Amino acid sequence: MNYRVIKIKKLVGFLVAGIFSLCLTCAALAQGNPTGAPAGAGPPPNKNPNIDDRVRQVDEGRLRSAEMDAGTEEKNQRLLQAAIANMKEDFSRIQVLRNDIARNLVARKPFDYKLVSEQTGEINKRASRLNVYMRARAAEDEKENDRPELKSEEMIGALVRLCKLIDSFTENPALKNAATVDSKDIAKARENKANADRDLLAIIKLSGGLQKKSENLRMSQ
């Protein structure tokens, strides 16, 4: 589209320049030959009837391009607002689920594998969706191989670890003060972001393991 517009612009420019030069030549000839035909007595100028149409097409193309750009910007804004809303919802819901798990642990309620499977499964889903936006990456020296599957007697301890990981993640300054980072604290901000990445990846991994184990235990009852 841009190439065509530029090409048409050049064509119009050449035609206008040619007509202008022709007018100058005619004026010079008229001055050099005062006995020639009076002004207006000759044939009408040879005007290209396609110039106006082409100029109008160029203008219409510009207008359409501007409308498309405005539409794209509006769409991007809608997507951004939707992403922010999703992140807020996921962030809040993960904390609610964490509190529910912690209350049940403190109350020493009988272990409900179905409930634990649902809670940890939702935490895993929402944490994974958060990671779509955060793009958390583990440091090279912190990458671990897959851990063995949790044992039944490890379930309570794993749930406690999950609650602590969620606390660490949600209280991280990289998430709470992201809009107020001072340029002097860039190094600290990077460290906080690295910690948030580490916690989020650990939450995803641990919640996935808990969901799988609790579901297996539920099915075996």
Side-chain angles (χ1 to χ4, degrees):
M1 176 64 74
N2 290 337
Y3 173 76
R4 293 182 59 190
V5 170
I6 293 172
K7 190 173 181 180
I8 292 172
K9 281 183 178 179
K10 288 183 177 179
L11 176 61
V12 173
F14 292 152
L15 289 173
V16 171
I19 293 172
F20 182 67
S21 299
L22 181 61
C23 291
L24 289 179
T25 302
C26 292
L29 290 174
Q31 290 178 359
N33 185 17
T35 60
N46 184 18
K47 184 178 180 181
N48 189 337
N50 294 326
I51 292 179
D52 291 340
D53 290 340
R54 291 181 179 178
V55 172
R56 184 169 59 254
Q57 290 174 4
V58 171
D59 291 339
E60 290 175 353
R62 287 176 177 172
L63 181 60
R64 284 194 297 270
S65 178
E67 290 174 348
M68 290 175 63
D69 291 342
T72 300
E73 178 64 22
E74 183 179 352
K75 181 180 179 181
N76 289 339
Q77 286 297 322
R78 288 199 303 268
L79 291 174
L80 177 61
Q81 293 303 319
I84 292 173
N86 287 336
M87 291 182 70
K88 287 182 177 180
E89 179 186 346
D90 292 336
F91 193 78
S92 176
R93 183 61 182 161
I94 286 173
Q95 293 177 82
V96 170
L97 291 165
R98 176 263 177 218
N99 292 339
D100 291 343
I101 292 172
R103 274 194 295 268
N104 290 337
L105 290 174
V106 171
R108 298 181 181 275
K109 290 185 177 181
F111 218 86
D112 186 341
Y113 293 118
K114 181 176 184 297
L115 177 60
V116 172
S117 175
E118 292 173 351
Q119 291 171 328
T120 54
E122 185 176 352
I123 289 174
N124 183 268
K125 181 185 72 174
R126 292 185 179 277
S128 297
R129 188 163 69 172
L130 275 177
N131 196 31
V132 171
Y133 303 111
M134 290 186 59
R135 298 182 180 181
R137 296 180 180 179
E140 288 296 329
D141 57 349
E142 292 182 356
K143 290 183 178 179
E144 300 178 0
N145 296 325
D146 292 337
R147 292 182 177 181
E149 185 177 339
L150 289 169
K151 298 178 181 179
S152 302
E153 60 270 20
E154 296 175 334
M155 291 290 290
I156 293 179
L159 286 171
V160 172
R161 287 203 311 274
L162 180 62
C163 290
K164 290 182 177 179
L165 280 170
I166 292 174
D167 288 341
S168 177
F169 174 70
T170 56
E171 293 297 320
N172 192 302
L175 304 179
K176 299 180 69 175
N177 306 321
T180 58
V181 175
D182 193 297
S183 59
K184 299 178 182 178
D185 298 329
I186 294 298
K188 184 62 176 177
R190 288 176 178 170
E191 180 183 348
N192 290 336
K193 176 60 168 61
N195 291 336
D197 287 355
R198 180 199 62 206
D199 289 341
L200 181 58
L201 292 175
I203 289 169
I204 293 171
K205 189 171 185 177
L206 183 55
S207 61
L210 280 163
Q211 194 275 334
K212 181 180 178 181
K213 184 61 179 180
S214 56
E215 186 64 19
N216 289 341
L217 290 172
R218 183 183 73 83
M219 296 296 292
S220 64
Q221 284 182 331

